[in-house]
Amino acid sequence: MVAELCTALQLPQSTVSRHLKLLADEGWVTGRAEGTSRWYRLALDTMGDGAAQLWGVVRGDVASSAEAREDARRLKGVLTRRRSRSQEFFDATAGGWDEVRAHLFGAADLPALLALLDDRWVVGDLGCGTGRVSAQLAPFVARVIAVDESDAMLGAARLRLTGHENVDLRHGMLERLPVDDGQLDAALLFLVLHYLPDPLAAVREASRALRPGGKLLIVEMQPHGRDEYRQTMGHRWLGFPEATVREWAAESGLAEPRFAALTPDPAAKGPTLFAATARKR
């Protein structure tokens, strides 16, 4: 920036700006705008061979001068202050940084982390509903098999998933999946087990559809006392304790069960959730 060059060179802004314009006109430097600032750099990649040779001679001659050494020391201070200003911002906003980042970028964390998935995988979104999870998975895996029993949900999912050619929507019950044995590398049961009369049957089916070493992810509600959900939303189960999830894994041929309570979203009004994973033996 001009202001930083003025500090490093101890020259007035008018002089620095005039010199930069001359250098830019002759192709020695390039500039780019960033907000209200303008950044300059030496155009080494685009200057001709003659100019590059001349710069090498001038730089070698000037760099050994006392003035250049003073400029270099002041430049180091300028760069240190630039970094300090960024650090001061983080120090001042650390307590509210999550809110600042969410305000700027929204909930970008989960979609970005999905890029860690193996792009060769076939993933089962079991109880896919309107296809929200399938749409997030599709760009990062080879194929998504999305299953739901509700025709209305599948219709909504079909609209949402327009353009996602690697999503295969299938009508079927979670207790009798329309998926072959060992076809899936990973399977998701995302907030669906509390609707089922026999959740264990769905977990067993998911395990059957997984290849050996494949992984099951269950996201569900922790036990709660909101009995009105049975009437208002058709819930059959008021959450599940960790011990029950571990029993399901053991009875379904799944090993290495892990259970983690999820941090509540401040904006959420419902019960707290957990994520549980296990691997097909």
Side-chain angles (χ1 to χ4, degrees):
M1 290 192 299
V2 172
E4 292 180 333
L5 284 170
C6 292
T7 300
L9 299 173
Q10 290 190 332
L11 292 172
Q13 182 174 337
S14 58
T15 300
V16 172
S17 296
R18 185 172 67 254
H19 288 176
L20 283 171
K21 183 179 186 307
L22 290 170
L23 290 169
D25 289 345
E26 295 300 323
W28 286 80
V29 299
T30 59
R32 64 177 175 85
E34 187 174 291
T36 58
S37 301
R38 189 165 186 83
W39 298 83
Y40 293 89
R41 66 187 296 271
L42 192 64
L44 288 174
D45 296 335
T46 56
M47 67 172 59
D49 292 341
Q53 291 173 8
L54 178 59
W55 166 243
V57 172
V58 172
R59 180 177 183 178
D61 185 57
V62 171
S64 61
S65 69
E67 292 84 354
R69 289 194 293 270
E70 281 294 312
D71 291 346
R73 283 191 285 269
R74 285 191 294 268
L75 175 60
K76 186 176 181 180
V78 166
L79 297 177
T80 299
R81 284 193 293 275
R82 183 193 293 178
R83 183 177 181 86
S84 296
R85 282 195 295 271
S86 296
Q87 194 60 50
E88 287 167 5
F89 167 76
F90 288 116
D91 289 346
T93 60
W97 173 239
D98 288 346
E99 290 76 12
V100 172
R101 190 170 67 169
H103 175 72
L104 289 174
F105 309 115
D109 306 66
L110 178 57
L113 291 173
L114 290 174
L116 292 170
L117 293 175
D118 193 316
D119 60 6
R120 298 166 296 180
W121 276 7
V122 177
V123 178
D125 183 8
L126 311 180
C128 66
T130 61
R132 179 173 174 270
V133 172
S134 291
Q136 293 179 323
L137 288 169
F140 302 106
V141 298
R143 188 178 175 204
V144 178
I145 298 176
V147 180
D148 205 279
E149 188 176 356
S150 166
D151 290 325
M153 287 290 190
L154 287 173
R158 194 165 287 110
L159 289 175
R160 169 174 266 158
L161 294 164
T162 299
H164 292 289
E165 302 297 332
N166 63 334
V167 179
D168 180 1
L169 285 167
R170 299 183 184 182
H171 182 274
M173 298 175 61
L174 300 190
E175 300 93 329
R176 291 197 297 274
L177 286 174
V179 182
D180 293 339
D181 293 359
Q183 189 174 5
L184 304 177
D185 297 287
L188 314 178
L189 288 164
F190 202 101
L191 293 172
V192 295
L193 293 179
H194 58 270
Y195 288 108
L196 302 180
D198 187 0
L200 174 57
V203 175
R204 282 175 171 160
E205 272 292 274
S207 177
R208 177 192 61 75
L210 285 170
R211 63 166 174 78
K215 205 161 191 179
L216 173 65
L217 167 64
I218 297 172
V219 176
E220 261 300 344
M221 297 179 293
Q222 298 194 61
H224 63 88
R226 305 188 191 196
D227 194 64
E228 66 273 16
Y229 286 2
R230 298 183 190 274
Q231 301 299 322
T232 59
M233 290 183 281
H235 291 194
R236 293 176 179 266
W237 303 88
L238 301 181
F240 303 100
E242 179 178 353
T244 296
V245 177
R246 292 185 178 278
E247 288 172 7
W248 291 342
E251 295 181 35
S252 304
L254 297 167
E256 305 171 31
R258 300 176 63 189
F259 185 100
L262 300 181
T263 303
D265 185 332
K269 306 300 182 185
T272 54
L273 305 178
F274 67 82
T277 60
R279 192 177 300 279
K280 176 73 174 290
R281 291 192 180 95

